[in-house]
């Protein structure tokens, strides 16, 4: 098993969030609820990159910022209709998911 850190993002509606993250290339891996009707906890993955999306209040704060390093920021930018900007370290875009979580997505320039 590889050790890793997995960010947890608060979402109001897991299915809406899973659909939005699918546009970024993430696929749902599993969903857990303690009982039907209770809040969902979902894992999504894009290759080796994983995120936990939680409907549980208190698991994470809305408005969290995560950085996602990708091979082709231009493809992601085209999917979301935003132009990349150049920084000394990467070409980047900034996105906001339906719950206000911010994602800075970039491709390194070196």
């Amino acid at each position: 098993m590889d050790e890793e850190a997995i960010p947890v993002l608060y979402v109001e509606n897991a299915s809406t969030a899973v659909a939005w993250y699918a546009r970024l290339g993430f696929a749902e891996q599993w969903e857990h609820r303690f009982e039907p009707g209770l809040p969902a906890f979902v894992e999504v993955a894009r290759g080796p990159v994983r995120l936990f999306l939680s409907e549980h209040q208190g698991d994470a704060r809305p408005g969290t910022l995560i950085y996602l390093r990708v091979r082709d920021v231009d493809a992601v930018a085209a999917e979301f209709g935003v132009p990349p900007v150049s920084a000394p370290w990467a070409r980047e875009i900034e996105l906001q998911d339906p719950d206000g979580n911010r994602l800075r997505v970039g491709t390194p320039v070196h």
Side-chain angles (χ1 to χ4, degrees), residues 26-108:
F26 284 87
E28 182 176 335
Q29 303 300 296
W30 50 261
E31 176 182 306
H32 176 278
R33 293 175 190 266
F34 285 102
E35 291 182 20
L38 289 181
F41 193 89
V42 179
E43 179 183 302
V44 294
R46 175 188 165 122
V49 177
R50 300 185 183 288
L51 299 173
F52 289 153
L53 307 175
S54 177
E55 292 179 349
H56 296 265
Q57 291 186 359
D59 271 358
R61 300 183 73 173
T64 296
L65 171 64
I66 63 170
Y67 195 95
L68 177 61
R69 192 173 281 158
V70 298
R71 285 186 186 89
D72 185 4
V73 73
D74 293 305
V76 176
E79 170 65 27
F80 287 90
V82 296
V85 296
S86 292
W89 54 88
R91 288 179 33 81
E92 298 178 328
I93 61 172
E94 188 157 322
L95 303 172
Q96 190 167 14
D97 77 9
D99 298 289
N101 296 301
R102 299 173 329 162
L103 291 91
R104 205 164 287 148
V105 183
T107 299

